[in-house]
């Protein structure tokens, strides 16, 4: 027994115990710090509809990110797998992939980091709720997987489509209520297209002047004179121009500020009553402006265009919609002044008349940096195709608006009798300006970073809570042990001092008597006060040290 007591009180045992305690405390704090610094390694941000239609392309766009830095991962292989099951979480993907599945798309992230896919669901695949699994693998990402719930639906016929106008001016912009036609007088009504009068500020844009008979609303060809042109722009406006048999004349402008034009008809016969109008053009800071080379969308062929931009570098997203269906996605780099873009028109069994090409700057939030152009579905690009497209478009717009101009042109034979393709092309572009300008930000299908961060944060809170309790217990144990040792040391010091004072007292009793006893009491009281102060300082230091460690950990 005495042997064990000697071992437990030996310096070696005490040093070993102190060393183990320090290692354990350091390990607890180290694990706490390591858990606090854990981050989501990879993440996927993918846009796409929540419902996939069978037998037709379902366009998607996305990026795979190095989550801590937010950098897009380039050159990664992306594979989409449709699983006949229910997605619950990324942790259960292994069991989910054991169910019947089919690959629906495969691609590789581009040098820009974006990946564009067209998910095609087989006709014989089961409709209903399904799971979509995304896999990414490459030199910079290894076997990353995530998923989402989706629905698979049977293919439906195109629905009647007429877009709602997307306002390009901020809500607090007083120019929202500005009328495009401020005033118009005389037998000829002078109008402006686009109908909302909005053009991109500082970028090349096209507008059309339209002249119609005020009573019959039929197009009239007249000569127009610019009497006054207010506002800053690059280049000069023509002093005079003539509208054609469709009552249309095109203007290419680069407006730096809002424009106010005063125009009048030029009398061509003696006694002809003049007409005049004041038109407003409102500039919008879109930062990009799109012009398509051709106004037709031919099944299975590309549709090319040009983007004018204020950006000197970077890229733009390009989306193609048929009606409300997103059917193609791409991204192209930007060069100073102008850049080429392309949308691939898919081969659809059934398609709506209107396609919409839209360009914008950011995959996350387009903001106000976007533009769109409409195209008309056609079988080819020959004269017959242009004639039919123009007639279909005029009928389409006439049925969906209360603009008498389109009733007049749709009921005429102007399209079938025109053999000039360039003229038909211009008319189609002008009529498309009457369609409300609409922009759709592609819907978000997967944002694994947000979900993974929330799940990791919840796990870290649980683990850190347990580690904080263990660390607090360890610190309290250390505090108790150190306090005990300090007290024992103080007690030993007091005993030694007492022994010395007793010896000194015995030697001086015979000489000093009661005075010696009084001096002894005073010395004892002073020693007790000093000992108490020492204990307080040591305990307070240890308490503040413990609280400081716990407070520091709480901020991690």
């Amino acid at each position: 027994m005495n042997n064990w007591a000697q071992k437990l009180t030996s310096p070696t045992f005490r040093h070993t115990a102190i060393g183990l305690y320090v290692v354990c405390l350091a390990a607890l704090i180290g694990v706490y710090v390591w858990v606090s610094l854990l981050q989501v390694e990879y993440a996927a941000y993918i846009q796409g509809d929540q419902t996939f239609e069978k037998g037709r392309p379902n366009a998607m766009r996305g990026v795979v990110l190095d989550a801590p830095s937010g950098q897009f991962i380039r050159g990664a292989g992306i594979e989409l797998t449709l699983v006949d099951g229910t997605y619950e979480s990324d942790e259960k993907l292994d069991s989910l992939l054991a169910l019947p599945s089919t690959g629906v798309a495969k691609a590789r992230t581009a040098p820009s980091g974006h990946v564009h896919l067209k998910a095609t669901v087989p006709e014989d695949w089961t409709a209903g709720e399904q799971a979509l699994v995304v896999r990414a693998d490459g030199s910079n990402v290894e076997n990353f997987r995530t998923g989402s719930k989706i629905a698979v639906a049977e293919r439906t016929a195109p629905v009647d489509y007429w877009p709602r106008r997307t306002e390009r001016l901020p809500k607090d912009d007083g120019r929202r209520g500005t009328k495009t036609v401020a005033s118009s007088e005389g037998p000829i009504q002078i109008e402006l297209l686009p109908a909302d009068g909005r053009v991109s500020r500082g970028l090349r844009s096209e507008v059309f002047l339209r002249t119609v008979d005020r009573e019959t609303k039929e197009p009239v060809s007249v000569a127009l004179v610019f009497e006054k042109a207010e506002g800053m722009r690059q280049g000069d406006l023509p002093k005079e121009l003539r509208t054609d048999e469709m009552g249309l004349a095109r203007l290419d402008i680069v407006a730096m500020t809002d424009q106010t034009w005063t125009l009048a008809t030029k009398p061509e016969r003696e006694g002809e009553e003049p007409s005049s109008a004041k038109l407003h053009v409102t500039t919008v800071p879109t930062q990009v402006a799109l012009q398509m080379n051709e106004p037709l969308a031919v099944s299975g062929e590309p549709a090319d265009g040009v983007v004018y931009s204020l950006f000197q570098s970077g890229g733009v997203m390009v989306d193609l919609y048929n009606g409300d269906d997103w059917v193609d996605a791409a991204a192209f780099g930007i060069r100073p002044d102008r850049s080429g873009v392309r949308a691939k028109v898919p081969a659809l069994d059934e398609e709506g008349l209107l396609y919409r090409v839209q360009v914008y700057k950011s995959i996350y939030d387009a903001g106000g940096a976007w533009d769109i152009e409409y195209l008309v579905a056609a079988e080819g690009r020959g004269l017959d195709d242009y004639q039919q497209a123009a007639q279909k478009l005029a009928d389409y717009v006439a049925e969906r608006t209360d603009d008498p101009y389109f009733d007049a042109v749709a009921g005429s034979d102007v399209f079938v009798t025109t053999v000039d393709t360039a003229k038909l092309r211009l008319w189609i572009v002008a009529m498309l300006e009457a369609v409300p300008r609409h922009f759709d930000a592609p819907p978000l299908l997967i944002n694994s970073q947000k979900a993974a961060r929330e799940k990791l944060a919840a796990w870290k809170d649980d683990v850190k809570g347990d580690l904080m309790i263990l660390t607090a217990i360890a610190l309290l144990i250390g505090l108790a042990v150190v306090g005990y040792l300090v007290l024992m040391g103080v007690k030993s010091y007091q005993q030694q001092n007492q022994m010395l004072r007793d010896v000194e007292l015995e030697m001086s009793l015979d000489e000093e008597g009661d005075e010696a006893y009084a001096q002894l009491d005073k010395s004892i009281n002073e020693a007790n006060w000093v000992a108490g102060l020492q204990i307080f300082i040591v305990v307070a230091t240890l308490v503040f040290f413990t609280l400081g460690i716990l407070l520091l950990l709480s901020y991690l």
Side-chain angles (χ1 to χ4, degrees):
M1 189 69 178
N2 291 332
N3 187 32
W4 279 104
Q6 290 176 357
K7 290 182 179 180
L8 292 176
T9 57
S10 67
T12 302
F13 179 83
R14 289 200 301 270
H15 295 162
T16 303
I18 293 172
L20 288 174
Y21 173 78
V22 171
V23 170
C24 291
L25 182 60
L28 281 173
I29 296 175
V31 172
Y32 189 98
V33 173
W34 174 76
V35 170
S36 300
L37 296 178
L38 282 177
Q39 292 181 315
V40 176
E41 191 173 6
Y42 302 113
Y45 185 92
I46 297 178
Q47 298 170 326
D49 287 325
Q50 293 284 345
T51 300
F52 285 6
E53 285 194 11
K54 296 197 291 186
R56 65 177 296 144
N58 299 275
M60 303 176 70
R61 172 186 291 111
V63 292
V64 177
L65 308 97
D66 176 71
S69 67
Q71 296 295 314
F72 297 169
I73 295 177
R74 298 165 174 80
I78 309 297
E79 183 178 352
L80 303 185
T81 303
L82 191 62
V83 182
D84 189 7
T86 302
Y87 172 81
E88 295 180 3
S89 66
D90 287 354
E91 288 74 18
K92 297 182 179 180
L93 287 180
D94 287 333
S95 59
L96 185 65
L97 289 169
L99 300 174
S101 62
T102 181
V104 292
K106 186 183 293 186
R108 187 168 291 276
T109 56
S112 64
H114 299 92
V115 63
H116 301 91
L117 309 111
K118 291 182 182 178
T120 305
V121 182
E123 292 280 8
D124 58 355
W125 192 256
T126 305
E129 184 176 309
Q130 306 279 313
L132 182 70
V133 178
V134 180
R135 304 184 191 186
D137 209 350
S139 58
N140 296 320
V141 56
E142 185 175 353
N143 195 30
F144 167 68
R145 298 184 304 182
T146 187
S148 173
K149 291 180 181 179
I150 66 162
V152 174
E154 301 291 342
R155 183 169 46 185
T156 57
V159 298
D160 183 62
Y161 174 73
W162 186 252
R164 63 187 183 281
R165 186 168 73 91
T166 302
E167 179 57 70
R168 309 179 86 177
L169 291 174
K171 291 182 179 180
D172 57 352
D173 195 315
R175 298 175 299 162
R176 275 194 168 199
T178 302
K179 294 182 179 180
T180 304
V181 180
S183 62
S184 180
E185 300 175 352
I188 303 300
Q189 187 170 321
I190 306 172
E191 301 168 336
L192 180 72
L193 292 173
D196 62 3
R198 312 279 198 260
V199 299
S200 297
R201 182 179 302 158
L203 298 171
R204 181 177 175 181
S205 304
E206 58 183 7
V207 298
F208 290 87
L209 299 174
R210 191 174 76 176
T211 53
V212 299
D213 186 280
R214 190 175 296 276
E215 292 184 0
T216 66
K217 304 302 180 183
E218 293 183 351
V220 179
S221 175
V222 298
L224 295 174
V225 177
F226 280 87
E227 294 186 339
K228 188 178 182 181
E230 302 175 49
M232 296 176 61
R233 60 196 164 273
Q234 291 183 9
D236 296 325
L237 293 171
K239 295 181 179 180
E240 180 181 325
L241 52 75
R242 171 173 288 277
T243 58
D244 58 21
E245 60 266 43
M246 281 279 287
L248 297 170
R250 172 178 169 172
L251 279 174
D252 286 325
I253 63 169
V254 179
M256 311 306 293
T257 63
D258 292 356
Q259 306 287 303
T260 301
W261 300 336
T262 302
L263 300 96
T265 58
K266 182 179 181 180
E268 298 179 347
R269 294 183 298 274
E270 187 176 348
E272 181 178 328
E273 182 181 353
S275 299
S276 63
K278 179 179 284 188
L279 307 178
H280 284 307
V281 177
T282 304
T283 60
V284 183
T286 65
Q287 303 179 64
V288 290
L290 173 66
Q291 288 187 6
M292 300 303 292
N293 297 347
E294 298 283 344
L296 301 186
V298 180
S299 178
E301 295 187 10
D304 296 333
V306 174
V307 170
Y308 300 93
S309 174
L310 297 179
F311 300 104
Q312 298 299 307
S313 61
V316 289
M317 311 296 113
V318 181
D319 296 334
L320 178 66
Y321 283 80
N322 180 234
D324 281 324
D325 296 330
W326 189 18
V327 295
D328 186 61
F332 294 89
I334 290 179
R335 296 181 300 175
D337 187 31
R338 55 182 289 170
S339 308
V341 295
R342 167 173 289 182
K344 297 178 181 178
V345 182
L348 302 176
D349 295 336
E350 295 181 275
E351 62 181 352
L353 182 67
L354 286 184
Y355 281 86
R356 183 178 79 253
V357 182
Q358 59 183 36
V359 297
Y360 51 100
K361 190 71 175 72
S362 173
I363 187 175
Y364 295 119
D365 183 11
W370 60 267
D371 198 16
I372 69 105
E373 285 277 302
Y374 289 105
L375 305 176
V376 182
E379 295 182 0
R381 303 187 190 278
L383 176 60
D384 291 344
D385 300 307
Y386 272 97
Q387 290 174 331
Q388 294 173 20
Q391 184 64 58
K392 289 179 181 179
L393 179 60
D395 294 336
Y396 192 86
V397 178
E399 291 173 2
R400 291 162 178 79
T401 66
D402 57 359
D403 189 342
Y405 170 84
F406 285 97
D407 294 326
V409 298
S412 69
D413 61 354
V414 63
F415 303 122
V416 296
T417 58
T418 299
V419 295
D420 186 343
T421 302
K423 187 175 289 188
L424 289 165
R425 182 185 299 114
L426 182 141
W427 291 347
I428 292 173
V429 173
M431 288 190 290
L432 286 172
E433 292 290 352
V435 180
R437 183 185 284 109
H438 175 72
F439 174 80
D440 255 332
L444 179 60
L445 181 63
I446 296 175
N447 183 2
S448 70
Q449 185 172 29
K450 181 180 179 181
R453 281 181 172 174
E454 291 174 353
K455 187 173 296 184
L456 178 62
W459 176 82
K460 287 166 68 173
D461 288 342
D462 290 340
V463 175
K464 286 164 64 177
D466 295 338
L467 290 173
M468 182 70 81
I469 293 173
L470 292 175
T471 304
I473 293 172
L475 287 170
L476 290 175
I477 292 173
L479 177 62
V481 171
V482 173
Y484 171 76
L485 294 175
V486 169
L487 291 175
M488 293 299 293
V490 171
K491 183 178 180 181
S492 176
Y493 174 75
Q494 287 178 325
Q495 290 175 343
Q496 292 176 3
N497 284 340
Q498 184 64 41
M499 292 174 62
L500 292 174
R501 282 194 296 270
D502 289 344
V503 172
E504 183 180 354
L505 180 60
E506 290 178 0
M507 294 174 65
S508 61
L509 277 178
D510 293 336
E511 300 176 4
E512 300 180 8
D514 293 339
E515 184 180 349
Y517 279 109
Q519 184 66 31
L520 177 62
D521 289 338
K522 183 178 179 182
S523 299
I524 291 173
N525 290 332
E526 290 178 353
N528 289 336
W529 277 105
V530 171
L533 182 61
Q534 289 175 338
I535 293 172
F536 174 78
I537 292 173
V538 171
V539 172
T541 302
L542 292 173
V543 169
F544 279 113
F545 172 77
T546 301
L547 293 177
I549 292 292
L550 295 177
L551 183 63
L552 177 63
L553 292 178
S554 68
Y555 282 107
L556 295 178

